[in-house]
Amino acid sequence: MSQQTILRHEVLKELDTGNLFDMVFITADRRRGTGGKIKRVSNWVKIIGGEQVSRLPGEFSRITSLSLKKNPSHGEHKTINIYNPGNPGDHATKVHWRLIIFFNGKRVLQ
């Protein structure tokens, strides 16, 4: 019995499309020493950057606390942020992409 598989780089490409996905991953937090739990999410989407603020020519840009954000260094930490668009009250979740086990029903391979 063969199980369907998908490579990790294909998962990362699919996440960037903005389509809904199902995922099974393991939680981890080295700083707090917690994690190791298996988490399942269904119909979630990756958070892709902030929207650009449009302004008219000659209009001053407004600097707010929202525009001054901390750099999450996703590339360095090998993480992505995902959220549930069906329930905006849920918190966004940080996922270490090396700890993704299943993506859309397919086992993720290195």
Side-chain angles (χ1 to χ4, degrees):
M1 174 160 68
S2 66
Q3 185 179 27
Q4 290 186 347
T5 59
I6 187 169
L7 297 175
R8 187 184 297 147
H9 76 275
E10 293 170 346
V11 170
L12 296 175
K13 284 182 187 177
E14 181 67 26
L15 287 169
D16 288 335
T17 63
N19 296 332
L20 297 175
F21 58 82
D22 300 334
M23 183 186 294
V24 178
F25 60 95
I26 300 172
T27 61
D29 189 340
R30 286 185 180 170
R31 186 170 30 126
R32 294 182 183 95
T34 60
K37 297 181 181 178
I38 296 175
K39 186 165 182 182
R40 292 171 174 80
V41 296
S42 183
N43 294 324
W44 284 44
V45 70
K46 177 182 173 184
I47 297 174
I48 301 175
E51 294 182 13
Q52 294 291 333
V53 177
S54 61
R55 60 184 181 89
L56 298 172
E59 181 182 358
F60 293 106
S61 61
R62 296 181 188 97
I63 299 176
T64 63
S65 61
L66 296 176
S67 65
L68 301 174
K69 294 184 179 181
K70 181 177 158 186
N71 181 7
S73 302
H74 288 299
E76 179 184 339
H77 301 297
K78 298 169 182 46
T79 59
I80 58 170
N81 288 334
I82 62 173
Y83 76 103
N84 183 357
N87 187 0
D90 281 352
H91 290 283
T93 301
K94 183 172 290 221
V95 177
H96 294 266
W97 48 260
R98 288 185 169 178
L99 299 179
I100 299 172
I101 303 170
F102 290 97
F103 183 79
N104 287 337
K106 298 178 184 177
R107 177 168 280 292
V108 177
L109 301 178
Q110 287 16 326

